[in-house]
Amino acid sequence: MRNRETRVRGIAARAGGWSARHRWAAVGIWMLFVVLAMGLGSAAGRVDVKDSDQLGGETHTAARIVENAGIDEPASESVLIQSKDGGPKATDAEFRAAVGAVVTAVEGTGKVTGVTSPYDAKTISKDGRSALVQFDMRGEADTAGERVEPVLKAVEGVQKEHGSLRIEEIGGASMMKTFDDAFGDDFKKAEYSAVPVALGILLVAFGALVAALVPVALAITAIVATMGLVGLVSHVQPMSETANSVMLLVGLAVGVDYCLFYLRREREERAAGRDARTALQIAAATSGRAIVVSGVTVCVAMAGMLFTGIAEFEAMGLASLMVVAVAMVGSVTVLPALLSLLGERVEKGRVPFLRRRKPSGGTGEGSRFWTAVLRRVLAKPLLAAAVAVGALLAVAAPALGMKTQNLTLDQEFGDSLPIVQTYNRVNEAFPGGSDPAEVVVKADDINAPEVRAALADFQDRAISSGASRGPVDITVHDEQNIALVYVPLVGGSDQDKAGESLDKLRDDVRPATLGEIDGVEAPITGQVAGSKDFNDQLVGSVLPVIVFVVVFAFLLMLLSFRSLTIALTSIVLNLLSVGAAYGILVAVFQHGWGASLVGAEGVGAIITWLPLFLFVILFGLSMDYHVFVVSRIREARLRGRSTQEAIQHGVVTTAGVVTSAAVIMVAVFAIFGTLSMQSMKQMGVGLAAAVLIDATIIRGVLLPAVMSLLGERNWYLPKWLHRLPDLTHDESAEAIAPTARGGEGERGEQGELGERVGV
C-alpha cells in the first residue's frame, strides 16, 4: 500500500504548503495577478451584450436586421394631455392651446426632433379627453436619459399654466432617467453596504479586527481581479451591468465563506495545541480540500446558465463562475501565506465585550446549542427526518401553483414613482400605445408596388382582426429597403390579452399579407414579443440546465467522497432546499402572505427568469455547507470514530463556521431584498431564505438524521465503481500531524478503514 503521507497531499494541501513556505512570493504573485487583471481589463474595456444578441426567435431576427442596416432608432417620447374630471375635450380651445404650448415648449429645448401634434397624427382617445404629443430625442437612444431633463422641465412649465388638464411626459428617455435617479443610488448603496455588513458579522464571529479583515480583503481582491478578467472575456462573451452586480453578490458571499472555513479550522487546530505550521497544514489539507470541491461544484452549477442560449444569463453564469474560481484559488494559495505571515497577530484588534471562546474537546465554537440539537436528532433520527422533510415539503407546497411572468411596470415598481401612474393612464386611454408591437419588414425593394400593397393590407387587417385599434404607423427607410410598422396591441399592459393580440399578428395577419411575397422578412418585436420569445426560450432551456447541473454535481460528489449514498443524498437535500425557497417566494410574492413585511403587496407573480436563476445559484452555493460538513464527518470516520460519533463530531465542529457563513450570506442577500424593484426583492428574499433553510434545517437536522439512519451504508460504493478516479485526498488531519494523539496506531487504523470505505 502506498505511503499514507503521500496520499494525503492533494492539490489543496500542496498549494497551502508551498504558500506557507514561500509566503512573500505567494502574496506578491497574488497582488501582481490582481493588478495585471484589473489593468488589462481596464485597457481592453468591457463589451456589453447587444440588443441583437439578447434573445433568440423573432426578437433576435428583428434586432439583427435593424442593426445590420445601421438604423439607429431614436428614443421616442410622448406627452399625455388629459382633461381632469369635467375638464375640456380635445376639441375645446383650452385643450388646443395646451397642445400648442406643449409643442412649442419641447421644440424650444433644441433636444427633440419630429414633434407631431395629436391633431395631425390622430392620437386622440375615443372619448376625446386624452391626446398624445409625440416626438423623438436627438442623439443616441442609449444615452437619451442624460439629455431629457430640459424637456421634462419644459413640460412641467406647461402643466403649471393649465391646471384643469393633466400634462405628463413618458417614453424611453424619461423612464430611463426616472429609474436611474430613483434606483441607481439604491443599487450602489446595496453593493457598498454588503462589505461593512460582512465585516461586522466577521468581527462578532472572530472577535478580532485582523481576523475579520483577512476574509473581506481577499474577497474584495478576488472581485477586483475578476472585474478585470470580465473585461477581457467580454470580447468573446459580451457582459452586462446585471452580470456585474450578480458577480459582486456571489463573489463577496463565497469569497468570505471560503476564507472563513479555512481560517476557522486553522484557529481551531492552534487552540487544540498544535504549532502554527502543523495547524496550517491541517487547515490546507481539510478545509482547503473542502473549498476546492465546493468551488468546482459551484463553478459547474454556474456553467449551467451557459445552456440557456440567453445572452444575459450566459453573461451572469460566466461572470459568477469566474469570481468563484478566483476566490477559490485565492483561498487555497494566498490565504495560507497571509496566515503564516501574521501568525498570532491574526488575533490583534480584539473587540471589547467579545470574549474569545476556546474549543473544548475539539467540538468547536457554538457546540453547546448544536450538541443539544444533535443529541435529540440522533436519539430519534427517523422522527427528526420525518418532521424535517414534512416541514420542508409543506413550505415547498405553494411552489406547485407558481405563476411566472415578466412583471409589468406597476408590478415592478408599484405606485412609488409618478411615471408608473402616467404609464397606466396612457395604456387606459390608448391601449398598447406605450408599448406597441414593431414589425421589421425587409425586402429587396421596399417601394415595390406589391410590397407597398402588402404593407397597406397589413395595416388594415391588423385593425380588422381585432389585434389593434390603431393607429398603425409605418416608417420607411428607402436606402436600407426596410419599413418599421408600429402596431398598438389590444390589451395594453394586460400581458395575457396583449399576447393574444400578438399571436393574431404573427399567426394570422402576417401570413395573409406580408407572407405572400417572396424575399420579404417581417419578424415582429417589441416589449410583448420580447417577453414571449424570452419565455419560450427560457422554458426550452430549463430541462437541459437542470439535467446538466444535477448530473455534474452528482458526479463531483461521487468522485470527491467515493460514496454513491452521499452523492445521492446531497442531490436530494439540495433539491429540497431549492423547493422550499420556491415555496417561500410563491407564498410571499404571489399569494401575498407576509408581503407587507418586505413591501411586496400586489405583485401576484414571480418574475420569469428567477426560478431557473435561483436553481443554479442555490444548487451551487448550498454545496458550500454540504461539502464542508460531510468532509468533516468523513474525516472523523477515517480517524476511527463510529458513524454516529462522526456525524455528531462533524456537525458540531462545523456548526460555528457554517452559522457564521450562513449569516453573512443571508445578510448580503437580504440587502437586495430591501430594494424597491420587485425583481430584486424576489431574488434577495429567495436567496436569503434558501441559505437560511440550508444551513439550519438541512445541515443541522435532516443531514445528520439521514446519515444516522443509513449508518455504514453512507460509505457504500459498488465494486463496479471502484475504478473511478480517486479524489478523496486530504481528509485525515492525523496523517499530517503524527505527533498528535493517536500516533501510528491510529494511522494504521485509518488506512484499514480507508480501504473499507473505498479510499
Side-chain angles (χ1 to χ4, degrees):
M1 185 170 153
R2 55 184 170 163
N3 183 273
R4 184 69 183 176
E5 176 71 17
T6 302
R7 183 175 177 76
V8 299
R9 298 288 291 171
I11 186 171
R14 292 197 301 271
W18 185 92
S19 178
R21 292 193 305 273
H22 306 86
R23 47 198 186 184
W24 285 112
V27 173
I29 291 170
W30 177 257
M31 294 310 299
L32 181 63
F33 162 68
V34 173
V35 171
L36 281 177
M38 194 62 193
L40 292 173
S42 299
R46 192 182 74 190
V47 177
D48 286 336
V49 174
K50 297 187 292 187
D51 289 342
S52 58
D53 295 328
Q54 286 281 10
L55 294 171
E58 293 192 29
T59 304
H60 170 78
T61 305
R64 178 181 52 78
I65 291 173
V66 171
E67 203 171 89
N68 291 343
I71 298 173
D72 293 324
E73 293 190 82
S76 298
E77 290 286 296
S78 298
V79 177
L80 173 68
I81 301 147
Q82 189 175 65
S83 61
K84 297 179 181 177
D85 296 336
K89 288 193 172 185
T91 52
D92 295 341
E94 183 181 353
F95 200 106
R96 286 181 175 274
V99 169
V102 168
V103 171
T104 301
V106 297
E107 285 181 334
T109 63
K111 303 289 184 182
V112 307
T113 184
V115 182
T116 306
S117 167
Y119 300 108
D120 297 329
K122 296 183 172 53
T123 48
I124 299 174
S125 63
K126 284 190 174 182
D127 63 4
R129 296 188 177 276
S130 303
L132 293 176
V133 174
Q134 297 175 314
F135 53 89
D136 297 326
M137 293 295 301
R138 294 184 184 274
E140 294 184 7
D142 291 344
T143 58
E146 300 169 10
R147 302 185 301 276
V148 76
E149 182 153 0
V151 185
L152 291 169
K153 289 193 175 298
V155 172
E156 288 175 9
V158 178
Q159 170 68 89
K160 292 176 182 177
E161 297 172 0
H162 297 81
S164 62
L165 297 169
R166 182 180 288 113
I167 302 174
E168 302 168 332
E169 183 175 347
I170 190 171
S174 52
M175 290 170 75
M176 191 187 307
K177 174 177 169 43
T178 303
F179 298 154
D180 285 347
D181 290 349
F183 303 110
D185 291 339
D186 207 6
F187 275 108
K188 289 178 182 176
K189 288 176 183 176
E191 291 171 357
Y192 292 154
S193 60
V195 173
V197 165
L199 180 60
I201 296 169
L202 287 169
L203 277 173
V204 174
F206 287 125
L209 181 61
V210 174
L213 283 173
V214 168
V216 173
L218 272 178
I220 290 174
T221 55
I223 290 170
V224 169
T226 308
M227 289 174 66
L229 295 177
V230 162
L232 294 173
V233 172
S234 70
H235 292 268
V236 178
Q237 166 62 57
M239 292 292 170
S240 68
E241 283 297 330
T242 305
N244 203 47
S245 294
V246 172
M247 183 269 290
L248 288 169
L249 185 73
V250 173
L252 183 62
V254 301
V256 169
D257 274 11
Y258 290 164
C259 293
L260 184 60
F261 293 161
Y262 208 108
L263 184 53
R264 282 290 285 268
R265 184 58 185 266
E266 190 267 349
R267 291 178 99 211
E268 181 184 325
E269 295 301 331
R270 283 197 292 115
R274 305 193 193 278
D275 62 84
R277 179 175 175 273
T278 303
L280 262 179
Q281 286 179 318
I282 294 172
T286 54
S287 291
R289 174 189 178 273
I291 288 167
V292 171
V293 174
S294 173
V296 172
T297 309
V298 175
C299 287
V300 167
M302 299 302 179
M305 284 196 265
L306 301 177
F307 289 83
T308 61
I310 299 171
E312 193 73 62
F313 268 54
E314 292 173 345
M316 286 192 289
L318 189 55
S320 301
L321 182 157
M322 290 167 63
V323 78
V324 170
V326 172
M328 175 186 69
V329 171
S331 298
V332 298
T333 56
V334 73
L335 182 58
L338 287 174
L339 295 179
S340 180
L341 283 168
L342 289 170
E344 289 295 331
R345 287 171 293 184
V346 77
E347 306 293 346
K348 291 286 186 182
R350 299 299 308 172
V351 180
F353 312 114
L354 290 179
R355 180 173 56 87
R356 181 179 178 181
R357 293 169 294 176
K358 293 186 178 182
S360 176
T363 58
E365 295 182 13
S367 61
R368 200 172 291 173
F369 171 78
W370 286 108
T371 297
V373 172
L374 259 293
R375 187 180 299 117
R376 289 166 174 78
V377 169
L378 297 180
K380 297 182 178 179
L382 183 59
L383 177 62
V387 171
V389 170
L392 289 171
L393 291 177
V395 173
L400 296 174
M402 181 186 289
K403 175 185 176 184
T404 61
Q405 68 177 58
N406 286 311
L407 302 183
T408 59
L409 198 65
D410 54 340
Q411 285 177 313
E412 183 73 90
F413 298 103
D415 296 327
S416 60
L417 296 178
I419 203 167
V420 175
Q421 299 167 20
T422 304
Y423 173 85
N424 291 332
R425 291 187 189 111
V426 170
N427 270 306
E428 288 172 7
F430 305 93
S434 58
D435 290 312
E438 181 181 352
V439 189
V440 179
V441 182
K442 178 177 173 54
D444 296 331
D445 181 4
I446 200 66
N447 289 308
E450 63 272 19
V451 177
R452 283 290 192 176
L455 285 170
D457 193 16
F458 183 92
Q459 264 185 307
D460 295 337
R461 293 203 186 199
I463 296 173
S464 63
S465 68
S468 176
R469 297 193 183 99
V472 177
D473 298 322
I474 300 178
T475 302
V476 178
H477 297 269
D478 295 320
E479 291 184 8
Q480 293 88 355
N481 283 313
I482 289 174
L484 303 179
V485 185
Y486 300 95
V487 186
L489 296 174
V490 169
S493 58
D494 185 328
Q495 293 199 5
D496 292 335
K497 291 182 179 178
E500 293 173 3
S501 299
L502 174 69
D503 290 339
K504 288 181 182 178
L505 288 183
R506 283 181 167 179
D507 301 336
D508 301 330
V509 178
R510 179 178 56 189
T513 55
L514 297 167
E516 296 291 326
I517 305 174
D518 292 336
V520 170
E521 287 185 84
I524 301 178
T525 184
Q527 191 270 332
V528 176
S531 295
K532 184 179 187 306
D533 292 345
F534 178 85
N535 291 344
D536 291 345
Q537 191 166 350
L538 195 63
V539 169
S541 66
V542 166
L543 186 59
V545 171
I546 290 177
V547 169
F548 173 82
V549 171
V550 170
V551 168
F552 271 82
F554 171 80
L555 290 175
L556 281 169
M557 296 300 288
L558 181 63
L559 295 177
S560 299
F561 292 100
R562 287 186 70 80
S563 166
L564 184 62
T565 308
I566 287 177
L568 286 171
T569 54
S570 67
I571 298 299
V572 173
L573 294 183
N574 280 356
L575 290 175
L576 279 172
S577 178
V578 172
Y582 285 171
I584 290 172
L585 276 177
V586 172
V588 174
F589 293 95
Q590 188 171 315
H591 299 319
W593 303 343
S596 59
L597 299 176
V598 293
E601 299 95 335
V603 179
I606 308 301
I607 193 163
T608 305
W609 55 265
L610 190 61
L612 187 60
F613 173 82
L614 279 183
F615 176 85
V616 172
I617 296 287
L618 292 176
F619 212 88
L621 294 182
S622 62
M623 283 297 184
D624 274 359
Y625 307 136
H626 191 84
V627 170
F628 193 67
V629 176
V630 175
S631 292
R632 200 63 180 269
I633 292 172
R634 192 173 191 277
E635 178 189 334
R637 186 73 179 95
L638 290 175
R639 290 168 63 177
R641 295 175 187 260
S642 68
T643 295
Q644 288 286 103
E645 291 172 341
I647 292 168
Q648 179 157 347
H649 175 82
V651 173
V652 172
T653 53
T654 57
V657 67
V658 167
T659 301
S660 299
V663 169
I664 290 170
M665 274 201 184
V666 169
V668 170
F669 294 147
I671 290 170
F672 282 77
T674 64
L675 300 185
S676 302
M677 295 175 66
Q678 291 299 326
S679 55
M680 292 298 102
K681 279 185 186 294
Q682 291 183 5
M683 183 183 77
V685 170
L687 287 170
V691 170
L692 186 61
I693 289 170
D694 196 75
T696 53
I697 298 176
I698 298 287
R699 308 304 160 205
V701 178
L702 192 52
L703 174 64
V706 170
M707 291 190 75
S708 177
L709 289 170
L710 290 170
E712 292 303 311
R713 287 168 292 187
N714 282 296
W715 320 114
Y716 172 69
L717 184 71
K719 288 184 178 180
W720 60 274
L721 290 178
H722 282 188
R723 293 184 180 180
L724 288 173
D726 184 356
L727 303 183
T728 55
H729 296 294
D730 310 335
E731 294 179 6
S732 176
E734 298 301 321
I736 301 170
T739 58
R741 62 179 177 83
E744 296 298 328
E746 186 169 311
R747 277 181 284 148
E749 184 183 29
Q750 290 164 25
E752 183 183 348
L753 176 64
E755 294 297 325
R756 289 204 305 271
V757 299
V759 176

